[in-house]
Amino acid sequence: MNNPEIFQPKTTAEIDQMVARNPLALVISADGVNIQASPLPLILQRDAEGNASFIGHFSIHNPQLEIIRKNPRALLAFTGVQGYISSAWLSDRRYAPTWNYEVAHFEVDIYLEEGPAAAMHALGTLVSQMDANEAHPWKIEESPRAEQLAKFIVPFRATVLSCQAQFKLGQGDPGSLIQDSLVALRRTGNHGLADAMSRMHTLDS
């Protein structure tokens, strides 16, 4: 992607947090002839050295599996908060409208795993993270059909080779424009983008 330095996140933690808040990725792969893309929830993990990988799973009926078996290289595209910034919101209407957003792209190699234990691990990892903030988190073991359902998925681990991230959140814009945008974003209900812009400009101050 075109990735100007001004829009690049300052820390790996910022990228990890965005991915954790928005775990549905578009998994894109090709074999030289065919291109496939699947929306899949993925869980980012890092080892003690900071090396990243993702846990996920495909349906056994997903035609993308055929491509992955030929060529494990793939792109994981995550989109965080996003939205249009209207010039109609601004006290100084000389500024043109724009679109603000968070995206992170990971180049990975996908390693398909086999067996019921790997499938249950992948499902359990996803549920554990997604239910972590619940008062009484659900556990995969509570379902009497979990092992049966696990037969219909192909779990995988995706090893991260590189990452590019772009958080375009008004960097370089004057404070008055940011404040006008935040007021309008909250008025129109886009609290996620307003929160992200607020975090960014707190960091910048």
Side-chain angles (χ1 to χ4, degrees), residues 129-161:
Q129 177 158 314
M130 300 311 299
D131 262 40
N133 294 324
E134 297 297 328
H136 302 287
W138 189 79
K139 299 183 184 302
I140 192 72
E141 295 79 12
E142 294 182 63
S143 172
R145 300 182 61 234
E147 292 186 5
Q148 181 66 25
L149 293 172
K151 295 177 182 178
F152 294 94
I153 69 167
V154 178
F156 65 83
R157 180 177 291 274
T159 300
V160 173
L161 306 174

Side-chain angles (χ1 to χ4, degrees), residues 2-116:
N2 177 37
N3 197 14
E5 185 175 356
I6 191 173
F7 298 138
Q8 295 174 21
K10 296 178 177 62
T11 66
T12 299
E14 291 176 69
I15 301 172
D16 291 1
Q17 291 161 10
M18 189 277 275
V19 168
R21 288 191 296 266
N22 305 276
L24 188 71
L26 196 60
V27 181
I28 305 163
S29 55
D31 61 6
V33 178
N34 300 301
I35 300 174
Q36 289 277 348
S38 298
L40 299 176
L42 304 177
I43 302 303
L44 173 61
Q45 298 183 332
R46 291 189 184 272
D47 63 20
E49 288 73 43
N51 300 309
S53 62
F54 288 90
I55 300 294
H57 64 273
F58 289 99
S59 162
I60 61 170
H61 304 295
N62 193 322
Q64 192 169 357
L65 283 169
E66 184 177 349
I67 291 177
I68 295 293
R69 290 189 173 104
K70 294 177 184 176
N71 177 20
R73 190 63 50 87
L75 182 71
L76 311 181
F78 291 85
T79 301
V81 294
Q82 55 83 29
Y84 178 65
I85 305 298
S86 172
S87 297
W89 299 342
L90 309 179
S91 52
D92 186 345
R93 295 167 67 101
R94 292 175 298 174
Y95 288 95
T98 191
W99 208 284
N100 284 355
Y101 54 83
E102 301 172 321
V103 295
H105 292 175
F106 295 85
E107 185 180 8
V108 300
D109 279 335
I110 293 180
Y111 298 96
L112 302 176
E113 300 178 330
E114 303 292 340

Side-chain angles (χ1 to χ4, degrees), residues 180-201:
D180 289 345
S181 299
L182 291 176
V183 169
L185 286 169
R186 297 196 189 284
R187 186 182 71 245
T188 57
N190 195 340
H191 297 283
L193 181 54
D195 291 346
M197 290 176 63
S198 294
R199 286 192 298 270
M200 175 62 67
H201 293 279

